Amino acid sequence: MDLTGKIAILTGVSKGIGRATAEALLAHGAIVAGWGRTAPTGLRHERFHFFACDVRDEVAVQEAYVNTRRELGEEIHVLVNNAGLGISGEVDGFSSDDWKLMFDTNVHGLFYCTKAVLAQMKKQQLGHIINICSIAGTTGIEKMSGYCATKFAVRGFSQSLYKEVRADGIKVTCLYPGSTETNFFDEIPGTAANASMMQPQDIAATIIYALQTPFNFHLVDIEMRPLQPKK
């Protein structure tokens, strides 16, 4: 897909992978609708538009979708489901509220946003949905059972969705990044972000690559890992 003039909705736009993806989309000519609870600091561009949205709230998602189409145009070409969070802890001491928070954000929010755009993408017979999953969606991780459970859900949703909508000209790509140097690790005890990890720009570049594939095929699952991780 040539991204010039295409409308891309991007959730979790304020920092990390979301911020880097917004900048990459803009660099390739897209019109970016950034959805999030917080606007990215200092990101000012004539083709960037911020819409306040808590993806955990389906009504808020619907409002952001209506506002996006009213301000930017009826067609929606790209959705990047990036919003998410991780909370660590052993199962027997894990907060039920934290468990619900992760599922509301990582799974339910992704579903609400995807559901919002599908009718228009089917009408167009064109669209691309990118779901940011994690290596945690492919293997269990000690003291990260809740986060892994949400990402396994994203994996299953993505693999089912692509089979459901491929006949409508809609691509679905699920990315599984390994360790990436973002603020994700701020709340994970015993793990600190470091320069040997992948960079947010690496994930953003892969998203652009997937979006620019020719119409006749799409990349379904992409696993990414740092080459020389810090021991």
Side-chain angles (χ1 to χ4, degrees), residues 94-107:
F94 202 78
S95 162
S96 296
D97 287 341
D98 285 345
W99 181 278
K100 185 175 184 298
L101 175 63
M102 282 194 292
F103 269 89
D104 283 344
T105 307
N106 300 359
V107 182

PDB file of all heavy atoms in Angstrom, residues 94-107:
ATOM      1  N   PHE A  94      -1.587 -12.033  42.905  1.00  0.00           N
ATOM      2  CA  PHE A  94      -1.841 -11.020  41.873  1.00  0.00           C
ATOM      3  C   PHE A  94      -3.164 -10.308  42.120  1.00  0.00           C
ATOM      4  O   PHE A  94      -4.166 -10.926  42.484  1.00  0.00           O
ATOM      5  CB  PHE A  94      -1.856 -11.681  40.484  1.00  0.00           C
ATOM      6  CG  PHE A  94      -1.581 -10.740  39.359  1.00  0.00           C
ATOM      7  CD1 PHE A  94      -0.287 -10.334  39.069  1.00  0.00           C
ATOM      8  CD2 PHE A  94      -2.608 -10.231  38.589  1.00  0.00           C
ATOM      9  CE1 PHE A  94      -0.020  -9.460  38.038  1.00  0.00           C
ATOM     10  CE2 PHE A  94      -2.357  -9.361  37.541  1.00  0.00           C
ATOM     11  CZ  PHE A  94      -1.053  -8.967  37.265  1.00  0.00           C
ATOM     12  N   SER A  95      -3.161  -9.007  41.897  1.00  0.00           N
ATOM     13  CA  SER A  95      -4.362  -8.206  42.072  1.00  0.00           C
ATOM     14  C   SER A  95      -5.383  -8.504  40.973  1.00  0.00           C
ATOM     15  O   SER A  95      -5.058  -8.435  39.780  1.00  0.00           O
ATOM     16  CB  SER A  95      -4.005  -6.721  42.044  1.00  0.00           C
ATOM     17  OG  SER A  95      -5.142  -5.928  41.797  1.00  0.00           O
ATOM     18  N   SER A  96      -6.594  -8.794  41.359  1.00  0.00           N
ATOM     19  CA  SER A  96      -7.655  -9.034  40.377  1.00  0.00           C
ATOM     20  C   SER A  96      -7.938  -7.777  39.562  1.00  0.00           C
ATOM     21  O   SER A  96      -8.280  -7.848  38.377  1.00  0.00           O
ATOM     22  CB  SER A  96      -8.935  -9.511  41.075  1.00  0.00           C
ATOM     23  OG  SER A  96      -8.712 -10.757  41.708  1.00  0.00           O
ATOM     24  N   ASP A  97      -7.781  -6.621  40.202  1.00  0.00           N
ATOM     25  CA  ASP A  97      -7.983  -5.358  39.478  1.00  0.00           C
ATOM     26  C   ASP A  97      -6.929  -5.182  38.392  1.00  0.00           C
ATOM     27  O   ASP A  97      -7.230  -4.716  37.285  1.00  0.00           O
ATOM     28  CB  ASP A  97      -7.946  -4.173  40.439  1.00  0.00           C
ATOM     29  CG  ASP A  97      -9.199  -4.083  41.315  1.00  0.00           C
ATOM     30  OD1 ASP A  97     -10.225  -4.690  40.947  1.00  0.00           O
ATOM     31  OD2 ASP A  97      -9.137  -3.419  42.356  1.00  0.00           O
ATOM     32  N   ASP A  98      -5.673  -5.534  38.700  1.00  0.00           N
ATOM     33  CA  ASP A  98      -4.606  -5.429  37.698  1.00  0.00           C
ATOM     34  C   ASP A  98      -4.832  -6.420  36.560  1.00  0.00           C
ATOM     35  O   ASP A  98      -4.564  -6.124  35.390  1.00  0.00           O
ATOM     36  CB  ASP A  98      -3.238  -5.680  38.344  1.00  0.00           C
ATOM     37  CG  ASP A  98      -2.768  -4.502  39.182  1.00  0.00           C
ATOM     38  OD1 ASP A  98      -3.346  -3.405  39.045  1.00  0.00           O
ATOM     39  OD2 ASP A  98      -1.828  -4.682  39.982  1.00  0.00           O
ATOM     40  N   TRP A  99      -5.293  -7.612  36.902  1.00  0.00           N
ATOM     41  CA  TRP A  99      -5.611  -8.619  35.876  1.00  0.00           C
ATOM     42  C   TRP A  99      -6.670  -8.073  34.916  1.00  0.00           C
ATOM     43  O   TRP A  99      -6.516  -8.131  33.706  1.00  0.00           O
ATOM     44  CB  TRP A  99      -6.111  -9.886  36.557  1.00  0.00           C
ATOM     45  CG  TRP A  99      -6.458 -11.007  35.631  1.00  0.00           C
ATOM     46  CD1 TRP A  99      -7.629 -11.175  34.938  1.00  0.00           C
ATOM     47  CD2 TRP A  99      -5.639 -12.125  35.282  1.00  0.00           C
ATOM     48  NE1 TRP A  99      -7.589 -12.317  34.182  1.00  0.00           N
ATOM     49  CE2 TRP A  99      -6.381 -12.920  34.372  1.00  0.00           C
ATOM     50  CE3 TRP A  99      -4.352 -12.527  35.649  1.00  0.00           C
ATOM     51  CZ2 TRP A  99      -5.874 -14.105  33.833  1.00  0.00           C
ATOM     52  CZ3 TRP A  99      -3.853 -13.710  35.113  1.00  0.00           C
ATOM     53  CH2 TRP A  99      -4.608 -14.479  34.217  1.00  0.00           C
ATOM     54  N   LYS A 100      -7.717  -7.495  35.478  1.00  0.00           N
ATOM     55  CA  LYS A 100      -8.795  -6.945  34.659  1.00  0.00           C
ATOM     56  C   LYS A 100      -8.310  -5.755  33.834  1.00  0.00           C
ATOM     57  O   LYS A 100      -8.679  -5.606  32.669  1.00  0.00           O
ATOM     58  CB  LYS A 100      -9.967  -6.523  35.542  1.00  0.00           C
ATOM     59  CG  LYS A 100     -11.202  -6.053  34.783  1.00  0.00           C
ATOM     60  CD  LYS A 100     -12.358  -5.782  35.733  1.00  0.00           C
ATOM     61  CE  LYS A 100     -13.620  -5.415  34.963  1.00  0.00           C
ATOM     62  NZ  LYS A 100     -13.492  -4.188  34.178  1.00  0.00           N
ATOM     63  N   LEU A 101      -7.466  -4.916  34.421  1.00  0.00           N
ATOM     64  CA  LEU A 101      -6.930  -3.757  33.714  1.00  0.00           C
ATOM     65  C   LEU A 101      -6.162  -4.181  32.466  1.00  0.00           C
ATOM     66  O   LEU A 101      -6.325  -3.580  31.398  1.00  0.00           O
ATOM     67  CB  LEU A 101      -6.016  -2.950  34.636  1.00  0.00           C
ATOM     68  CG  LEU A 101      -5.273  -1.766  34.016  1.00  0.00           C
ATOM     69  CD1 LEU A 101      -6.254  -0.713  33.518  1.00  0.00           C
ATOM     70  CD2 LEU A 101      -4.292  -1.163  35.028  1.00  0.00           C
ATOM     71  N   MET A 102      -5.347  -5.222  32.595  1.00  0.00           N
ATOM     72  CA  MET A 102      -4.589  -5.682  31.432  1.00  0.00           C
ATOM     73  C   MET A 102      -5.506  -6.232  30.347  1.00  0.00           C
ATOM     74  O   MET A 102      -5.323  -5.957  29.164  1.00  0.00           O
ATOM     75  CB  MET A 102      -3.555  -6.728  31.853  1.00  0.00           C
ATOM     76  CG  MET A 102      -2.316  -6.135  32.488  1.00  0.00           C
ATOM     77  SD  MET A 102      -0.945  -7.316  32.612  1.00  0.00           S
ATOM     78  CE  MET A 102      -1.591  -8.459  33.824  1.00  0.00           C
ATOM     79  N   PHE A 103      -6.494  -7.021  30.736  1.00  0.00           N
ATOM     80  CA  PHE A 103      -7.409  -7.562  29.728  1.00  0.00           C
ATOM     81  C   PHE A 103      -8.253  -6.454  29.093  1.00  0.00           C
ATOM     82  O   PHE A 103      -8.508  -6.469  27.887  1.00  0.00           O
ATOM     83  CB  PHE A 103      -8.298  -8.649  30.332  1.00  0.00           C
ATOM     84  CG  PHE A 103      -7.708 -10.024  30.200  1.00  0.00           C
ATOM     85  CD1 PHE A 103      -6.866 -10.520  31.187  1.00  0.00           C
ATOM     86  CD2 PHE A 103      -7.955 -10.802  29.090  1.00  0.00           C
ATOM     87  CE1 PHE A 103      -6.291 -11.776  31.064  1.00  0.00           C
ATOM     88  CE2 PHE A 103      -7.400 -12.059  28.947  1.00  0.00           C
ATOM     89  CZ  PHE A 103      -6.558 -12.552  29.937  1.00  0.00           C
ATOM     90  N   ASP A 104      -8.685  -5.487  29.897  1.00  0.00           N
ATOM     91  CA  ASP A 104      -9.476  -4.382  29.344  1.00  0.00           C
ATOM     92  C   ASP A 104      -8.681  -3.590  28.318  1.00  0.00           C
ATOM     93  O   ASP A 104      -9.239  -3.125  27.310  1.00  0.00           O
ATOM     94  CB  ASP A 104      -9.944  -3.451  30.474  1.00  0.00           C
ATOM     95  CG  ASP A 104     -11.116  -4.003  31.255  1.00  0.00           C
ATOM     96  OD1 ASP A 104     -11.763  -4.947  30.757  1.00  0.00           O
ATOM     97  OD2 ASP A 104     -11.391  -3.489  32.352  1.00  0.00           O
ATOM     98  N   THR A 105      -7.395  -3.418  28.563  1.00  0.00           N
ATOM     99  CA  THR A 105      -6.551  -2.630  27.659  1.00  0.00           C
ATOM    100  C   THR A 105      -6.044  -3.460  26.488  1.00  0.00           C
ATOM    101  O   THR A 105      -6.232  -3.108  25.320  1.00  0.00           O
ATOM    102  CB  THR A 105      -5.351  -2.042  28.431  1.00  0.00           C
ATOM    103  OG1 THR A 105      -5.815  -1.332  29.581  1.00  0.00           O
ATOM    104  CG2 THR A 105      -4.553  -1.100  27.540  1.00  0.00           C
ATOM    105  N   ASN A 106      -5.390  -4.574  26.802  1.00  0.00           N
ATOM    106  CA  ASN A 106      -4.671  -5.343  25.788  1.00  0.00           C
ATOM    107  C   ASN A 106      -5.584  -6.160  24.874  1.00  0.00           C
ATOM    108  O   ASN A 106      -5.229  -6.405  23.717  1.00  0.00           O
ATOM    109  CB  ASN A 106      -3.680  -6.302  26.460  1.00  0.00           C
ATOM    110  CG  ASN A 106      -2.640  -5.591  27.300  1.00  0.00           C
ATOM    111  OD1 ASN A 106      -2.621  -4.372  27.385  1.00  0.00           O
ATOM    112  ND2 ASN A 106      -1.778  -6.352  27.945  1.00  0.00           N
ATOM    113  N   VAL A 107      -6.720  -6.591  25.401  1.00  0.00           N
ATOM    114  CA  VAL A 107      -7.598  -7.481  24.636  1.00  0.00           C
ATOM    115  C   VAL A 107      -8.903  -6.791  24.250  1.00  0.00           C
ATOM    116  O   VAL A 107      -9.238  -6.659  23.076  1.00  0.00           O
ATOM    117  CB  VAL A 107      -7.891  -8.777  25.417  1.00  0.00           C
ATOM    118  CG1 VAL A 107      -8.758  -9.720  24.581  1.00  0.00           C
ATOM    119  CG2 VAL A 107      -6.597  -9.464  25.835  1.00  0.00           C
TER     120      VAL A 107
END
